[in-house]
C-alpha cells in the first residue's frame, strides 16, 4: 500500500511540472509575438482578420466606373430581342460567361445553371388578335405587331404581343369597358344593371395585377379579356404619333405592353422545388393565379376604336382616360357608330404552354477572411423584345461593376472580406423564375450564409433622381453610399441630397431623410426577402414625379424599348447609369469589406412603430376594442425590440472602438445582424400564399397600411364577423417581433 502511494505522488508531481511548463510556454509564445510593426511570426490570417473597409479602394472603384463602357454594354445587350430561352437569350448567356471568365477582367469563376421551366409563347403560325365580328364576317381586327417607326421593330425575332399564360380560345360576346379590371370595377358594372355573363371586357393596365383582371372577370361570367395601356396612365395624356416615340419618350399609339399574366412567382409546376429533370411537377390543371379565360393585350389606337364606339351609360369620371372621347361602358356598340350595333368582339388566343430550359449565369469572387458569408448582387437577363431599359440597363451596369472589380482582382490589389455572388437570372419576365429556382435549390446554404441581396433590374427609368427600395437595415448602407456619389447634373450635389429633395420623409430619429421604399414582389428580390428572409434592396434612377405622372417609363415591355430609345430619351450620355453603378457598387463593397456589417438594426424600430400606429387609432382600434382585442402586447414587444436594438448598437459601437476587437466577437455580432431578417419569418403565417413567410413584408389585399396579415384579417372580419383570424394574426406579429428582439440580445 505504501509503494502504491509513492507512485501516485510521482504521477501528481509530473502532472504539476508539466502544467507549469505548458503555462510558461504559452506565456512565452504570447509575449514573443510582436504586437505592432509587421506582425512577423504571427499567422498570416491574424494580420488580415481585423481589416476593415478601405475608403481609398472604394474611391478607386468609383473612379474607374465609366459611362462609355456602360453605353457600349447596353448597345451590345439590346442589339436584338432576347426573350427567355430564345436564340438571343442564349447568346447573352455566352456573353456573360465570356466576360466573367476573362483572364484580365474576369471573376474567380463563373457557371451556368439550367432549369426546365414552364413557359408560355404565342403560336407564330396563328397570331393572336381581337376582332369585331358580325354574324360570320370579320369587320375589324387589331394590329398584330407594332408599327415600324425605326428598324428595330422590324427585327424578325420581335415577338407578337400576347398575354403569357393566357389559355387558348376564341370567346365571342358583347364588349364592356371594365376600367382596371379590379373586383370592384366589375361589381360597379353589375350595380349599373349590366349582365356580364358571356361578355368580353376591355380593361386598362394599372389598379389590379395582369392576371387578376382575367381572374376577377371570370368570377362575374366574363368570357374573355382585352387589356390596353391608356395614354392618361403612361403618356401624360399624349396620344398622337407626333407627340410620341421617335419624337419623344412617350409610347406610340401602336405600342403594346406584353407581360406575364401570372399571380405567383417561380416555376408554376414546381413550387418550393428547383425545376430540375428529376423534380416532381404538379398537374397543369392545379396551377393557380393564371387567367382562366383567353386574354390579349392591344395598343391604345385599337382600344380607342373599340371604346369610343361603345353604347350604354357613361363610365364614372375616375374611369375616363385620354383616348379622345368620353368612355361609355357598353355592353355592345352604339347605333350610328363605326360598327353595327349587333356586332360582337372576339378574342382569338393561340398561346402554347411548354417546358423549356432556361439558364442562370452565376459569377463568383471568393472572400479572403469570411468566404462562407455571401453578398449577392443580381439582375435578370431576359426581356420581352430588345429590352434596352428592362432589363439590359441593369445588366449593363452589372457588367461594368464586375469589369472594375475583376480588374482589381486580377491585378492583385483587392479581394473582398466576404464572398460575392453575381446572378444573371433567366426567365424573370415570366414570373421571377430564375432567381426563385436558385433560392429553392440552395435554400439551406443561402439562409445560413447570406448577408444581403442587391437587386438592380431597371437601373435607369429616367435621369432625375435615385429611387431605392429595401428593408429597414439596408437604409444606412444605401445612405452612406449615396452620400459619396455625385449627381450627373452637378458635382457639388450628392446623389443622397438630390434623392432627399425629390422623395423624402420625416424620421423621428434622423429628421428629413430620403424615403426608402418598401419591397413588393416586382423583381428578383422577391424570393430572397419573402422566402429566405435575406436583407434585400433594389436600386435605380427614376423620373421627377412633378414632371410626369407616367405609371412607368412609356416604352415598357413594348418593341420600342430599344438602345435608340435609351440613348436619346432615357439617359443621354449614360451618366445616370454611371451614378447607379457607383452607388450600387459602393453598397456592394461596403457589405463585402466592412469589418462590422453596415446594416442598422435599430431602423426596424421606426417601421414597426409606423405599422403599429395605423392599427392603434380610429376605426381600426375601435373595432378591435369592441371585439375584445388588445394591441397592448404588440405595443410592449415593439418597445422591447427598440430597447434591445439600441443596446445592441451600443455593444457594436464599443466593439468598433477597441484597438484589436476579438474576431469571435465580430463574427457573433455580424451573425446577429445577418440573421435579424430571418427572425421575422413564419412559414405557417400565410398558408395560401406561395413563398410569403415574412410577417412584415408579405403581400396584402387590404388598403389598411399596417402589418399585412393583420390588415387582411381585419378587413375580412369587417365583412364576415370572424375576428378569430384577427386574434391569430396579432399573435403572429407579436411572436415575430419578439423573435427579432431575442435575436439581438447579448449572448448568455
Amino acid at each position: 500500500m505504501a509503494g502504491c502511494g509513492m507512485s501516485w505522488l510521482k504521477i501528481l508531481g509530473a502532472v504539476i511540472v508539466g502544467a507549469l511548463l505548458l503555462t510558461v510556454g504559452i506565456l512565452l509564445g504570447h509575449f514573443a509575438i510582436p504586437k505592432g510593426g509587421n506582425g512577423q511570426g504571427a499567422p498570416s490570417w491574424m494580420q488580415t482578420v481585423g481589416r476593415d473597409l478601405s475608403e481609398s479602394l472604394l474611391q478607386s472603384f468609383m473612379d474607374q466606373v465609366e459611362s462609355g463602357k456602360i453605353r457600349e454594354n447596353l448597345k451590345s445587350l439590346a442589339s436584338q430581342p432576347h426573350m427567355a430561352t430564345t436564340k438571343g437569350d442564349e447568346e447573352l448567356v455566352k456573353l456573360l460567361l465570356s466576360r466573367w471568365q476573362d483572364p484580365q477582367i474576369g471573376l474567380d469563376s463563373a457557371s451556368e445553371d439550367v432549369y426546365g421551366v414552364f413557359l408560355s409563347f404565342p403560336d407564330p403560325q396563328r397570331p393572336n388578335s381581337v376582332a369585331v365580328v358580325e354574324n360570320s364576317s370579320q369587320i375589324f381586327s387589331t394590329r398584330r405587331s407594332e408599327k415600324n417607326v425605326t428598324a428595330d421593330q422590324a427585327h424578325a425575332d420581335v415577338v407578337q404581343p400576347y398575354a403569357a399564360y393566357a389559355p387558348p380560345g376564341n370567346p365571342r360576346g358583347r364588349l364592356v369597358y371594365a376600367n382596371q379590371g379590379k373586383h370592384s370595377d366589375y361589381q360597379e358594372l353589375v350595380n349599373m344593371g349590366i349582365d356580364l355573363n358571356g361578355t368580353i371586357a376591355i380593361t386598362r393596365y394599372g389598379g389590379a395585377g395582369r392576371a387578376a383582371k382575367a381572374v376577377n372577370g371570370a368570377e362575374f361570367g366574363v368570357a374573355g379579356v382585352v387589356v390596353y395601356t391608356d395614354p392618361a396612365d403612361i403618356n401624360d395624356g399624349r396620344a398622337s404619333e407626333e407627340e410620341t416615340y421617335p419624337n419623344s419618350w412617350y409610347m406610340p399609339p401602336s405600342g403594346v405592353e406584353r407581360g406575364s399574366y401570372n399571380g405567383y412567382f417561380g416555376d408554376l409546376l414546381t413550387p418550393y422545388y428547383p425545376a430540375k429533370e428529376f423534380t416532381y411537377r404538379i398537374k397543369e390543371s392545379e396551377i393557380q393565379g393564371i387567367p382562366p379565360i383567353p386574354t390579349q393585350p392591344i395598343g391604345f389606337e385599337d382600344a380607342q376604336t373599340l371604346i369610343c364606339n361603345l353604347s350604354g351609360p357613361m363610365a364614372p369620371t375616375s374611369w375616363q382616360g385620354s383616348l379622345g372621347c368620353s368612355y361609355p361602358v357598353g355592353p355592345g356598340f352604339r347605333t350610328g357608330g363605326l360598327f353595327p350595333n349587333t356586332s360582337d368582339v372576339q378574342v382569338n388566343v393561340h398561346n402554347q404552354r411548354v417546358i423549356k430550359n432556361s439558364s442562370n449565369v452565376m459569377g463568383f469572387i471568393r472572400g479572403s477572411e469570411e468566404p462562407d458569408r455571401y453578398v449577392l448582387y443580381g439582375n435578370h437577363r431576359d426581356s420581352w423584345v430588345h429590352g434596352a431599359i428592362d432589363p439590359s440597363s441593369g445588366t449593363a451596369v452589372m457588367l461594368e461593376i464586375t469589369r472594375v472589380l475583376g480588374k482589381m482582382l486580377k491585378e492583385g490589389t483587392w479581394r473582398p472580406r466576404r464572398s460575392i455572388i453575381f446572378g444573371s437570372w433567366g426567365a424573370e419576365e415570366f414570373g421571377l423564375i430564375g432567381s426563385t429556382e436558385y433560392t429553392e435549390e440552395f435554400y439551406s446554404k443561402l439562409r445560413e450564409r447570406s448577408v444581403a441581396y442587391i437587386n438592380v433590374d431597371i437601373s435607369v427609368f429616367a435621369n432625375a433622381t435615385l429611387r431605392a427600395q429595401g428593408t429597414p437595415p439596408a437604409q444606412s448602407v444605401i445612405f452612406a453610399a449615396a452620400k459619396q456619389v455625385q449627381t450627373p447634373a452637378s458635382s457639388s450635389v450628392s446623389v443622397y441630397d438630390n434623392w432627399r429633395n425629390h422623395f423624402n420623409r420625416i424620421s423621428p430619429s434622423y429628421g428629413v431623410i430620403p424615403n426608402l421604399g418598401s419591397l413588393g414582389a416586382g423583381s428578383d428580390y422577391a424570393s430572397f426577402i419573402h422566402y429566405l428572409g435575406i436583407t434585400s434592396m433594389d436600386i435605380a434612377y427614376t423620373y421627377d414625379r412633378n414632371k410626369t405622372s407616367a405609371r412607368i417609363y412609356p416604352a415598357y415591355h413594348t418593341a420600342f424599348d430599344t438602345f435608340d430609345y435609351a440613348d436619346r430619351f432615357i439617359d443621354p450620355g449614360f451618366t445616370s447609369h454611371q451614378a447607379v453603378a457607383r452607388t450600387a457598387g459602393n453598397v456592394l463593397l461596403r457589405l463585402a469589406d466592412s469589418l462590422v456589417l453596415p446594416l442598422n438594426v435599430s431602423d426596424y424600430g421606426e417601421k414597426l412603430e409606423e405599422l403599429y400606429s395605423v392599427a392603434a387609432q380610429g376605426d381600426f382600434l375601435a373595432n378591435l376594442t369592441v371585439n375584445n382585442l388588445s394591441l397592448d402586447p404588440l405595443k410592449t414587444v415593439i418597445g422591447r425590440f427598440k430597447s434591445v436594438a439600441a443596446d445592441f448598437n451600443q455593444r457594436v459601437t464599443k466593439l468598433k472602438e477597441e484597438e484589436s476587437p476579438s474576431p469571435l466577437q465580430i463574427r457573433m455580432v455580424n451573425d446577429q445582424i445577418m440573421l435579424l431578417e430571418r427572425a421575422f419569418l413564419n412559414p405557417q403565417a400565410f398558408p395560401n400564399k406561395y413563398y410569403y413567410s415574412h410577417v412584415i413584408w408579405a403581400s396584402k389585399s387590404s388598403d389598411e397600411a399596417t402589418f399585412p396579415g393583420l390588415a387582411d384579417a381585419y378587413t375580412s372580419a369587417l365583412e364576415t364577423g370572424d375576428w378569430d383570424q384577427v386574434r391569430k394574426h396579432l399573435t403572429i406579429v407579436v411572436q415575430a417581433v419578439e423573435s427579432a428582439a431575442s435575436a439581438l440580445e447579448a449572448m448568455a
Side-chain angles (χ1 to χ4, degrees), residues 392-696:
S392 298
S393 64
T395 309
V397 162
M398 181 167 66
L399 284 174
E400 177 60 2
I401 290 173
T402 58
R403 179 191 70 83
V404 176
L405 295 183
K407 181 172 178 287
M408 293 162 57
L409 190 69
K410 298 300 184 183
E411 290 174 348
T413 59
W414 168 81
R415 179 168 290 280
R417 177 182 188 87
R418 302 176 184 91
S419 294
I420 299 175
I421 301 176
F422 292 97
S424 172
W425 313 120
E428 185 269 0
E429 294 292 5
F430 286 87
L432 318 181
I433 293 178
S435 56
T436 304
E437 302 314 296
Y438 176 75
T439 58
E440 290 169 338
E441 182 171 14
F442 302 104
Y443 174 84
S444 296
K445 182 164 68 172
L446 293 172
R447 270 180 59 95
E448 293 296 325
R449 302 178 183 179
S450 299
V451 168
Y453 174 68
I454 304 166
N455 194 68
V456 181
D457 182 341
I458 299 171
S459 69
V460 179
F461 291 85
N463 57 6
T465 179
L466 190 73
R467 183 228 65 182
Q469 301 167 303
T471 55
Q475 175 176 278
S476 55
V477 69
I478 297 174
F479 282 5
K483 288 176 181 178
Q484 285 194 304
V485 181
Q486 284 71 48
T487 62
S490 172
S491 59
S492 63
V493 179
S494 70
V495 165
Y496 175 90
D497 290 333
N498 185 56
W499 178 17
R500 184 176 56 185
N501 291 339
H502 281 85
F503 302 109
N504 59 62
R505 69 179 181 91
I506 299 176
S507 161
S509 303
Y510 310 113
V512 180
I513 59 173
N515 185 44
L516 181 72
S518 300
L519 296 172
S523 190
D524 287 300
Y525 48 74
S527 60
F528 289 94
I529 180 59
H530 296 301
Y531 183 43
L532 297 182
I534 295 170
T535 295
S536 300
M537 63 206 80
D538 184 82
I539 299 171
Y541 238 68
T542 191
Y543 34 81
D544 186 341
R545 286 294 183 185
N546 293 319
K547 295 182 179 180
T548 179
S549 61
R551 177 173 59 88
I552 196 168
Y553 72 96
Y556 176 68
H557 285 191
T558 72
F560 306 110
D561 184 357
T562 62
F563 174 77
D564 175 73
Y565 180 81
D567 196 33
R568 293 204 290 133
F569 297 111
I570 297 297
D571 188 23
F574 282 74
T575 52
S576 294
H577 284 79
Q578 183 183 46
V580 171
R582 286 173 170 167
T583 305
N586 189 306
V587 170
L588 176 64
L589 284 172
R590 288 176 178 277
L591 289 167
D593 274 356
S594 295
L595 181 63
V596 175
L597 289 173
L599 301 170
N600 189 351
V601 298
S602 289
D603 288 338
Y604 240 121
E606 279 194 17
K607 175 52 67 173
L608 296 175
E609 284 282 8
E610 176 188 325
L611 296 172
Y612 166 81
S613 66
V614 173
Q617 60 184 319
D619 290 343
F620 201 118
L621 180 61
N623 285 316
L624 292 181
T625 303
V626 167
N627 288 278
N628 298 315
L629 293 164
S630 174
L631 291 176
D632 288 347
L634 181 56
K635 181 179 181 180
T636 299
V637 77
I638 291 175
R640 173 168 139 70
F641 175 87
K642 293 171 68 177
S643 176
V644 171
D647 289 344
F648 178 84
N649 279 350
Q650 288 182 357
R651 285 192 286 120
V652 170
T653 299
K654 290 180 180 178
L655 194 60
K656 287 181 176 179
E657 290 173 350
E658 293 181 14
E659 182 179 350
S660 299
S662 162
L664 179 58
Q665 291 294 321
I666 292 291
R667 179 77 166 196
M668 287 169 64
V669 299
N670 279 340
D671 280 356
Q672 287 178 283
I673 294 170
M674 179 181 75
L675 296 174
L676 172 63
E677 206 80 62
R678 263 69 122 202
F680 289 107
L681 297 184
N682 184 336
Q684 284 77 46
F686 312 102
N688 297 321
K689 296 179 180 179
Y690 283 148
Y691 302 105
Y692 287 102
S693 57
H694 201 300
V695 173
I696 311 301

Side-chain angles (χ1 to χ4, degrees), residues 159-362:
V159 68
Q160 60 177 274
Y162 78 113
Y165 298 113
N170 308 93
R172 172 176 171 171
R174 292 196 298 170
L175 186 67
V176 294
Y177 169 56
N179 192 30
Q180 295 176 324
K182 302 188 296 292
H183 194 277
S184 59
D185 293 334
Y186 289 110
Q187 185 61 56
E188 179 68 18
L189 292 176
V190 171
N191 295 343
M192 295 171 70
I194 297 174
D195 181 4
L196 294 177
N197 284 298
T199 60
I200 303 298
I202 184 168
T203 66
R204 61 207 274 184
Y205 277 115
R210 298 185 190 102
K213 300 176 189 298
V215 172
N216 294 337
E219 290 184 19
F220 287 86
V222 170
V225 172
V226 180
V227 188
Y228 79 100
T229 304
D230 198 288
D233 302 325
I234 202 80
N235 277 5
D236 296 317
R238 272 79 163 185
S240 70
E241 289 190 349
E242 293 73 27
E243 297 175 297
T244 58
Y245 182 73
N247 302 308
S248 76
W249 84 319
Y250 292 117
M251 177 194 286
S254 67
V256 183
E257 180 181 324
R258 299 150 180 81
S260 176
Y261 283 61
N262 169 15
Y264 293 95
F265 53 88
D267 177 61
L268 292 173
L269 294 181
T270 61
Y272 295 109
Y273 302 104
K276 296 293 188 176
E277 186 176 348
F278 61 83
T279 305
Y280 163 76
R281 286 170 166 79
I282 65 173
K283 297 180 179 64
E284 190 174 326
S285 59
E286 297 174 346
I287 294 174
Q288 299 178 7
I290 59 176
I293 53 179
T295 305
Q296 176 64 20
I298 62 173
F300 68 75
E301 66 176 358
D302 286 331
Q304 178 186 44
T305 301
L306 297 173
I307 291 175
C308 293
N309 282 284
L310 282 172
S311 63
M314 285 297 151
T317 302
S318 61
W319 291 24
Q320 298 296 323
S322 297
L323 294 179
C325 68
S326 296
Y327 296 12
V329 296
F333 295 112
R334 60 184 171 86
T335 301
L338 190 61
F339 311 117
N341 62 7
T342 55
S343 301
D344 289 333
V345 167
Q346 187 169 36
V347 181
N348 301 302
V349 176
H350 305 287
N351 294 346
Q352 302 170 332
R353 296 171 179 174
V354 295
I355 294 176
K356 297 191 71 175
N357 284 341
S358 176
S359 298
N360 291 338
V361 181
M362 308 304 300

